[in-house]
């Protein structure tokens, strides 16, 4: 086993519920979620809008507190954010007064020496932003801003990386490029990744397992393993069979015109 794998850590979600107090009473968003993610595993979470996916990631990264249950990253009980767990949010969240380069620099701690400068350039190239180092967020498209925020999360090499619909704002081609890059990084460093996505093909392309959440309050409805060699061919029959299984889990057999979807 190489060093990167040995160093890696997993994630334990034990009995997590999150209820919000709102004007009309209590809003039950997540109900009794149990999930273990192995060190180095790639798990995707899919579920309808509003079922609590972002809420779950915020609990894992330590930005919110659960009503019930506990989360562990490695052996550490999560009660606040920590550098070992990084997150890419649905929206870019860049500092508008800093350039692309300076925003990405925020993802690494300590003094910026030559080695770190090289690393910044490497990650800017990785997300296809070479030439835009000195640009400010307002001068970039939404997709470019999101790519800068992905570089900022990756550059700190967190052991667990949470991705909340990170490619939603990207065009189809950039999206596929970014999926390939994430796969390459994951295969190289084997860090633990948890991806929330609406894109079923994206989940199948990347994941070891796909967790399907029910409508609010989000519960785990089904976990579908994807035992296909990587890189995966999106037109392969086994790939399409898994897609069908996921669609049936969402829509039920009767509403699914299978011919249409595959
Ligand atoms: N801080 C909060 N206070 C009250 N309700 C919240 C809060 N955060 C999220 N919610 C509600 O929880 C539900 C799930 O939100 P979210 O986790 O963002 O869904 P998803 O990411 O699956 O689309 C929504 O109905 C949302 O309005
Ligand atoms: Mg969300």
């Amino acid at each position: 086993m190489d060093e990167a794998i040995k160093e890696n850590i997993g994630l334990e979600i034990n009995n997590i519920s999150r209820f919000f107090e709102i004007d009309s009473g209590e809003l039950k968003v997540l109900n009794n979620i149990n999930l273990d993610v192995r060190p180095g595993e790639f798990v995707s979470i899919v579920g309808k809008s509003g079922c609590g996916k972002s809420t779950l990631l915020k609990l894992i990264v330590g930005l919110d507190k659960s009503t019930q249950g506990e989360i562990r990253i490695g052996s550490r009980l999560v009660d606040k954010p920590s550098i070992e767990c990084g997150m890419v949010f649905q929206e870019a969240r860049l500092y508008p007064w800093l350039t692309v380069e300076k925003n990405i620099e925020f993802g690494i701690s300590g003094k910026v020496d030559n080695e770190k400068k090289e690393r910044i350039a490497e990650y800017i190239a990785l997300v296809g932003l070479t030439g835009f180092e000195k640009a400010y967020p307002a001068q970039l498209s939404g997709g470019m801003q999101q790519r800068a925020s992905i570089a900022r999360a990756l550059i700190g090499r967190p052991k667990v990386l949470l991705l909340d619909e990170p490619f939603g704002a990207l065009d189809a081609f950039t999206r596929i490029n970014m999926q390939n890059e994430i796969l390459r990084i994951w295969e190289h460093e084997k860090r633990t990744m948890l991806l929330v996505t609406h894109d079923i093909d994206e989940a199948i392309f990347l994941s070891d397992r796909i967790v399907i959440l029910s409508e609010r309050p989000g519960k785990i409805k089904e976990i579908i393993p994807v035992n296909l060699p990587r890189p995966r061919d999106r037109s392969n029959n086994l790939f399409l069979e898994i897609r069908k299984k996921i669609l049936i889990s969402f829509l039920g057999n009767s509403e699914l015109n299978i011919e249409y979807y595959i």
Side-chain angles (χ1 to χ4, degrees):
M1 200 187 277
D2 70 31
E3 278 308 302
I5 298 174
K6 231 188 323 184
E7 273 179 22
N8 231 317
I9 54 179
L11 175 68
E12 268 178 46
I13 301 171
N14 294 319
N15 226 359
I16 283 291
S17 297
R18 180 67 170 106
F19 306 152
F20 292 108
E21 298 302 326
I22 55 169
D23 289 346
S24 52
E26 197 178 49
L27 184 71
K28 294 190 172 175
V29 173
L30 293 170
N31 201 3
N32 230 340
I33 304 279
N34 284 290
L35 179 69
D36 283 1
V37 180
R38 292 189 307 274
E41 193 179 17
F42 200 122
V43 172
S44 287
I45 300 177
V46 295
K48 290 187 184 164
S49 179
C51 76
K53 303 180 297 297
S54 296
T55 303
L56 182 60
L57 292 197
K58 279 180 204 151
L59 291 169
I60 298 170
V61 80
L63 289 173
D64 186 21
K65 294 221 181 322
S66 60
T67 310
Q68 181 194 298
E70 58 170 46
I71 295 173
R72 283 177 193 276
I73 292 182
S75 56
R76 185 180 66 89
L77 189 67
V78 175
D79 56 0
K80 57 178 185 308
S82 138
I83 50 158
E84 65 197 3
C85 184
M87 178 148 168
V88 177
F89 294 90
Q90 270 172 285
E91 65 292 335
R93 297 196 181 192
L94 299 174
Y95 295 114
W97 60 88
L98 294 179
T99 60
V100 163
E101 203 171 52
K102 292 286 173 195
N103 265 290
I104 294 172
E105 195 183 303
F106 245 85
I108 33 179
S109 50
K111 214 172 132 277
V112 179
D113 52 19
N114 279 342
E115 189 253 316
K116 281 184 183 158
K117 274 192 192 140
E118 267 174 37
R119 213 160 106 202
I120 293 168
E122 183 192 318
Y123 277 82
I124 287 177
L126 178 71
V127 296
L129 285 177
T130 305
F132 292 91
E133 294 83 352
K134 308 283 180 215
Y136 287 89
Q139 298 170 309
L140 305 177
S141 71
M144 290 162 90
Q145 291 181 24
Q146 187 61 340
R147 283 188 272 150
S149 79
I150 291 169
R152 181 180 57 187
L154 288 173
I155 202 166
R157 297 185 179 138
K159 297 198 167 163
V160 175
L161 185 64
L162 311 179
L163 301 143
D164 192 355
E165 297 184 33
F167 311 136
L170 307 181
D171 65 83
F173 300 108
T174 312
R175 199 177 170 113
I176 287 178
N177 275 341
M178 289 306 301
Q179 290 165 3
N180 289 334
E181 288 307 337
I182 287 285
L183 183 64
R184 197 176 62 78
I185 292 162
W186 176 79
E187 286 186 321
H188 185 244
E189 302 182 16
K190 284 285 175 199
R191 69 184 78 166
T192 309
M193 292 200 186
L194 193 56
L195 167 76
V196 164
T197 181
H198 275 137
D199 183 334
I200 294 173
D201 282 6
E202 179 171 292
I204 306 170
F205 182 73
L206 291 169
S207 315
D208 293 312
R209 289 187 295 155
I210 300 172
V211 176
I212 300 178
L213 289 185
S214 69
E215 283 178 53
R216 203 179 62 231
K219 278 196 198 119
I220 294 182
K221 197 170 175 186
E222 202 174 343
I223 299 183
I224 297 182
V226 187
N227 296 315
L228 299 175
R230 294 179 174 94
R232 292 169 179 161
D233 171 0
R234 294 161 207 262
S235 60
N236 171 288
N237 276 340
L238 293 169
F239 193 105
L240 298 177
E241 260 175 42
I242 295 172
R243 182 203 270 180
K244 187 165 109 184
K245 217 166 154 182
I246 296 171
L247 286 168
I248 289 173
S249 183
F250 274 117
L251 302 168
N253 258 323
S254 57
E255 284 182 60
L256 181 62
N257 180 343
I258 287 161
E259 297 302 323
Y260 172 77
Y261 282 106
I262 65 174

